[in-house]
Amino acid sequence: MGTVTLGVSIAVPEPYGSLLQERRASFGDPAAFGIPTHVTLLPPTEADAADLPAIEAHLETIATAGRPFPMRLSGTGTFRPLSPVVFVQIVAGASACSWLQKRVRDASGPLVRELQFPYHPHVTVAHGISEEAMDRAYAELADYEAAWTCGSFALYEQGPDAVWRKLRDFPFGGGGGAPAVPAQGGYTIEASSSAPSLRP
């Protein structure tokens, strides 16, 4: 069956997702329309296509343990000079994202991998473009604000055309009250140390 390139992410819902995608394109980032606006939980990861059922079962178990939580974005940040990225900062919901991404990559599951950098949840708005364009992204979105209730995360596959497409949503609580994220984008838990429940 071969291999697939997968990612797990929290979608930035509408109207915020499309707006940030359009802004990313306006800064000259050629990847903007191939990557739905998101918070990464698992970066691009090669997997055997035959493992997809086990991967989906793993993600479903994680989602079933969770519940919706508030997310809020505010202002910009950058990983420069370490990495050529400008992002919108997550000021509420970051610990939930951290909880979730650890469980996605848990050693007992099918998506074990090491990260190149320590995990820092964020929403990329410019990557690998000119310094001038990244400076503009940093400045023009410095006052950006958005907030919503995160009710799910999703599994994505990168196609041969480098476009990321959603394979499946994983609503918290096994399909409880929160609506699935819109088709625009991709991609989300908060926990106590004692139990796998998600908290604001």
Side-chain angles (χ1 to χ4, degrees):
M1 291 180 70
T3 61
V4 289
T5 301
L6 303 175
V8 179
S9 304
I10 297 165
V12 175
E14 300 300 356
Y16 315 119
S18 289
L19 184 149
L20 288 176
Q21 193 174 49
E22 289 163 7
R23 294 307 306 274
R24 183 170 179 172
S26 77
F27 302 133
D29 191 329
F33 291 114
I35 305 174
T37 308
H38 68 281
V39 179
T40 297
L41 299 175
L42 178 76
T45 299
E46 292 291 318
D48 289 333
D51 290 339
L52 272 171
I55 289 168
E56 291 191 12
H58 171 63
L59 296 176
E60 188 168 3
T61 297
I62 296 168
T64 298
R67 70 182 188 199
F69 63 91
M71 288 279 285
R72 187 162 71 89
L73 310 180
S74 181
T76 47
T78 183
F79 294 133
R80 294 182 292 172
L82 190 62
S83 182
V85 173
V86 171
F87 56 87
V88 173
Q89 299 191 75
I90 298 172
V91 296
S95 60
C97 296
S98 295
W99 187 94
L100 183 56
Q101 65 87 27
K102 286 178 185 176
R103 280 147 186 83
V104 169
R105 297 185 297 107
D106 190 84
S108 67
L111 292 172
V112 182
R113 63 160 293 167
E114 295 297 319
L115 299 180
Q116 184 178 2
F117 302 107
Y119 183 72
H120 180 90
H122 63 281
V123 178
T124 297
V125 291
H127 179 217
I129 55 179
S130 72
E131 289 294 321
E132 180 183 7
M134 285 196 284
D135 288 343
R136 188 160 66 89
Y138 187 91
E140 291 185 12
L141 291 170
D143 296 326
Y144 185 79
E145 300 275 346
W148 70 94
T149 298
C150 179
S152 67
F153 61 89
L155 176 65
Y156 285 74
E157 180 180 352
Q158 187 178 40
D161 56 1
V163 173
W164 287 90
R165 295 176 177 88
K166 183 162 57 179
L167 297 179
R168 183 178 163 190
D169 278 310
F170 294 88
F172 295 137
V181 294
Q184 179 272 331
Y187 323 102
T188 196
I189 289 182
E190 190 125 6
S192 67
S193 58
S194 58
S197 62
L198 308 190
R199 304 178 185 278

